[in-house]
Every structure is written in C-alpha cells, then in structure tokens.
Amino acid sequence: GCFFAEVRLQGDSGLAERVVLKEAKKESYEGLPQAMVDAMKPMFGINRMDVRRVRFNAVIRRKDPATKGWVFANGTNNFHVIDTSSSGGTVYLLFRDYAHGVRGTEMAALEGTSRKGRIRRGGG
C-alpha cells in the first residue's frame, strides 16, 4: 500500500518534506521499472514525480487486514512495524507529494464525458 510520510532532510530541526511511500515488492523488481519510467517522463512533456528507491529496515503491516484504514474507529493503530533488517530490508518508492494531499481533478472533468455519442466538455 501507499501512505504519506514526512521526511526530515536535515535532521530534526531541518527542512521537512511530505512524501508518498509505496512498498516495492521483489516480484516487481523492487520498483526499478517505475523509477525508470518516471525518469523518462520529461522526454514526453510529462512532469516527473522524482521517484527515488529507498531501503528501510522495517515494513508496516495492518493488524487487521479486513479493516481498510490504518486507525481503528476507537483511535488505536491498525498497524504494526515488522523488522526486516535480517533479510536485507524493504525497498520503498519515495514520491514527492506535489498535490499536498489535495484531491486532484478527475479525468472526466479534464477530458469531458460522452452521453449518447456526444462529447460534453468539462465532464458535464
């Protein structure tokens, strides 16, 4: 899964940056193809997300996978941290959070919608 995190760039008193972390599974080559595609985006006029691969000594898992959220209704955490240092750590893709958590414009609003074969601009 993906989640937001705050990365301190220069220690506790330094600059902080909000990022998105996504676990990169071994079967997906630890995120290398995603990082390569992101690096090529400017060649096609698309902004890149500055994807970086990082290795942590732990992985976060939900205590109760049937509960979608990371926090239970009573306010307690629905996650626990598992040490993965003995197996080489866990690779994550680190993306810059350009949207700052604000919901982006849906594609229908940008491209328009089709109803009865007619295209209506702006998602009408």
Side-chain angles (χ1 to χ4, degrees), residues 57-86:
N57 289 329
V59 64
I60 296 176
R61 293 284 183 250
R62 285 187 175 91
K63 290 179 183 175
D64 179 9
T67 302
K68 188 173 182 175
W70 293 95
V71 178
F72 290 116
N74 66 5
T76 60
N77 292 332
N78 182 26
F79 65 87
H80 58 278
V81 178
I82 301 169
D83 186 345
T84 58
S85 59
S86 62

Side-chain angles (χ1 to χ4, degrees), residues 10-121:
Q10 298 173 352
D12 288 338
S13 62
L15 299 172
E17 179 180 2
R18 185 172 171 172
V19 297
V20 178
L21 289 171
K22 178 182 178 187
E23 185 180 349
K25 307 278 186 177
K26 289 189 186 296
E27 56 268 13
S28 66
Y29 303 100
E30 296 184 326
L32 183 60
Q34 284 181 285
M36 290 172 57
V37 168
D38 186 64
M40 292 188 297
K41 285 180 181 178
M43 294 170 36
F44 301 96
I46 302 170
N47 292 334
R48 58 183 297 205
M49 296 177 68
D50 293 330
V51 173
R52 292 166 273 174
R53 294 187 321 153
V54 295
R55 187 175 305 273
F56 293 139
N57 289 329
V59 64
I60 296 176
R61 293 284 183 250
R62 285 187 175 91
K63 290 179 183 175
D64 179 9
T67 302
K68 188 173 182 175
W70 293 95
V71 178
F72 290 116
N74 66 5
T76 60
N77 292 332
N78 182 26
F79 65 87
H80 58 278
V81 178
I82 301 169
D83 186 345
T84 58
S85 59
S86 62
S87 62
T90 304
V91 175
Y92 282 86
L93 294 175
L94 186 138
F95 301 85
R96 284 218 164 120
D97 177 24
Y98 286 113
H100 302 291
V102 176
R103 185 177 170 154
T105 306
E106 295 182 13
M107 290 302 291
L110 296 173
E111 297 179 341
T113 57
S114 173
R115 183 173 289 177
K116 295 183 182 177
R118 293 180 146 170
I119 302 291
R120 295 194 301 178
R121 298 177 76 190

